[in-house]
Amino acid sequence: MKKTINFKLIEEFRIREGLSIAKFCQLSNISYSTYKTISKGSLHIKLTYFFKIAKYMKVKIEDLLK
């Protein structure tokens, strides 16, 4: 089974917190281009970005994968 990024979880979190894409990127310490890559469901990003997003959202890395 191929794993993909659970972008819906990220997007719901961003909207619930009232954050723009730019503010979310700034607070989670990722670039806008990385955010766009994630939004396409691509797993071709550095593992550290998963850690940064999970840390900011206070979720487990497994939660970011579906």
Side-chain angles (χ1 to χ4, degrees), residues 4-66:
T4 58
I5 296 175
N6 188 357
F7 185 69
K8 184 178 178 184
L9 177 70
I10 296 170
E11 195 65 6
E12 287 173 353
F13 174 84
R14 186 183 67 76
I15 292 169
R16 184 177 62 244
E17 296 295 318
L19 301 171
S20 66
I21 294 172
K23 191 65 174 176
F24 176 82
C25 293
Q26 178 186 15
L27 293 173
S28 59
N29 201 20
I30 63 171
S31 69
Y32 181 78
S33 62
T34 300
Y35 181 86
K36 283 303 197 184
T37 302
I38 292 169
S39 72
K40 295 175 185 173
S42 176
L43 286 175
H44 298 288
I45 61 171
K46 292 182 180 179
L47 185 59
T48 56
Y49 295 133
F50 283 113
F51 286 109
K52 289 178 180 185
I53 294 169
K55 181 179 178 183
Y56 175 67
M57 292 177 59
K58 296 180 177 123
V59 298
K60 296 178 184 176
I61 290 179
E62 304 91 58
D63 297 338
L64 295 177
L65 301 173
K66 61 178 177 178

